[in-house]
Amino acid sequence: MGADVHGPDQEFLALERELAVFLRRARASSGEMARAVHPELEAAAYGLFVRLEEGGPQRATELAAYFGVGKATMSRQLRALEDLGLVAREPDPADGRASLVRLTEEGLARFRRVRDARRAQYVTKLADWDRREIAELARLLHQLNARADMQEPGAAPRP
C-alpha cells in the first residue's frame, strides 16, 4: 500500500522529491564545473577544490574521511590533480612523516574563476528573490547539512 499523499508525511515526501531533483542537478553541475576547471577532471574534483579552498592544506586521510571515500580513491583523485598541477603536497609541520595537500596558485585561480562564474549564475537565476529568502534558504540547508553531519558516524564536522 502506498502512502497517502495527503497524510501526515506529505511534507517529507515533498522534501524527498525536491531534494532528489536538486541532487540530480547538483551532480550534473559539479561535473560541468570540474570540467570547466580542467577538461580532464571528474565531478568529485570540484568538491575537493571547495574543501581545500575553505579549509586550507589538509591530509589526504582527512579529505577521504570528509568525503566518505577510501584512502585509495582519494589518493587516485589527488594524484590526478597533482599531475595536472592543480594541487601539491607539502610536508606536514606537525608530523614530518605525513604530507598536506594544498591548491596550487594555478588550481586556486582556475577554481575561483569557475566558482565566481557559478555565483553570477545564481545571482541571475535568483534575481527575483528577496535577499532574505536567499539567506533563509542558505540557513536551512546549513542546518540540514549540520544535522546530517552529526548523525553520520566518523563524519568530520563542517566548518
Side-chain angles (χ1 to χ4, degrees):
M1 264 192 160
D4 179 4
V5 293
H6 300 293
D9 289 337
Q10 89 180 46
E11 296 86 359
F12 292 101
L13 292 171
L15 175 62
E16 180 180 28
R17 182 179 55 252
E18 295 305 323
L19 282 175
V21 170
F22 181 79
L23 291 172
R24 178 181 51 79
R25 287 185 176 148
R27 277 191 295 274
S29 177
S30 286
E32 292 169 12
M33 292 170 69
R35 287 184 296 281
V37 171
H38 193 283
E40 295 178 33
L41 294 183
E42 298 175 16
Y46 192 79
L48 281 167
F49 285 115
V50 171
R51 182 69 179 168
L52 289 169
E53 201 261 348
E54 287 179 352
Q58 296 167 58
R59 291 182 181 186
T61 53
E62 293 170 334
L63 292 167
Y66 180 80
F67 288 103
V69 300
K71 292 177 188 176
T73 299
M74 182 56 60
S75 180
R76 180 184 58 77
Q77 290 175 347
L78 291 173
R79 193 169 30 258
L81 293 173
E82 250 182 316
D83 291 347
L84 295 171
L86 303 175
V87 301
R89 295 178 196 258
E90 57 192 28
D92 184 344
D95 180 354
R97 300 167 297 172
S99 63
L100 297 175
V101 178
R102 66 168 177 79
L103 290 172
T104 62
E105 286 184 32
E106 176 71 15
L108 185 59
R110 285 175 176 245
F111 164 71
R112 285 183 174 165
R113 196 168 38 250
V114 171
R115 183 199 57 200
D116 292 348
R118 179 56 160 185
R119 227 175 251 151
Q121 289 177 351
Y122 284 143
V123 168
T124 301
K125 286 180 181 179
L126 301 176
D128 60 340
W129 283 39
D130 184 282
R131 289 274 177 157
R132 290 174 299 217
E133 292 174 315
I134 296 167
E136 180 66 2
L137 177 59
R139 185 190 70 75
L140 290 169
L141 287 171
H142 176 79
Q143 184 177 328
L144 179 66
N145 288 326
R147 181 145 316 154
D149 285 346
M150 289 188 301
Q151 294 172 351
E152 291 178 15
R158 287 172 28 103

